[in-house]
Amino acid sequence: SIERMSRFKDIYCMMGRGGHGLLVGDQLLDLRGITAFAYGPTHLLIAFEDLRLEIYSMQLKLIKVLKSFTPKRITFLKLLTVPKGY
């Protein structure tokens, strides 16, 4: 069952109940422990229970995994702006 659903342009993104799995368009990411996800104009961000943050391209290619947050890394995340009207 679906816990959270959002839409970015023509792509739907749905998180499974309890953070088990993420469906992006017609592609399933078999991930466990997801607590949140968000779209930027060119990136998909996924947060996990263990405080890890994964950054994906819109083609679902893993770009970076952040395990500990320093001010430099947080500044990097602020650059991933959300499109107007979202």
Side-chain angles (χ1 to χ4, degrees), residues 36-40 43-47 53-56 77 80:
F37 64 91
Y39 277 113
H43 295 85
L44 170 66
L45 308 176
I46 303 174
L53 183 68
E54 293 185 355
I55 303 170
Y56 290 83
L77 291 177
L80 301 175

Side-chain angles (χ1 to χ4, degrees), residues 3-6 13-16 18-22 29 31-39 44-56 86:
E3 184 169 299
R4 181 175 166 212
M5 182 172 89
S6 66
C13 191
M14 295 171 270
M15 184 170 74
H20 298 298
L22 188 66
L29 296 177
L31 304 170
R32 299 286 184 240
I34 299 170
T35 57
F37 64 91
Y39 277 113
L44 170 66
L45 308 176
I46 303 174
F48 293 86
E49 291 172 346
D50 61 2
L51 304 180
R52 182 175 84 249
L53 183 68
E54 293 185 355
I55 303 170
Y56 290 83
Y86 179 73

Side-chain angles (χ1 to χ4, degrees), residues 17 30 52-53 58 71 74:
R17 175 100 29 218
D30 189 21
R52 182 175 84 249
L53 183 68
M58 292 304 286
I74 291 170

Side-chain angles (χ1 to χ4, degrees), residues 1 8 11 15-16 34 38-39 46 48-49 52 57 60 65 69 72 77 79 81:
S1 62
F8 179 75
I11 299 172
M15 184 170 74
I34 299 170
Y39 277 113
I46 303 174
F48 293 86
E49 291 172 346
R52 182 175 84 249
S57 69
L60 301 182
V65 177
F69 294 94
K72 184 177 179 182
L77 291 177
L79 296 175
T81 59

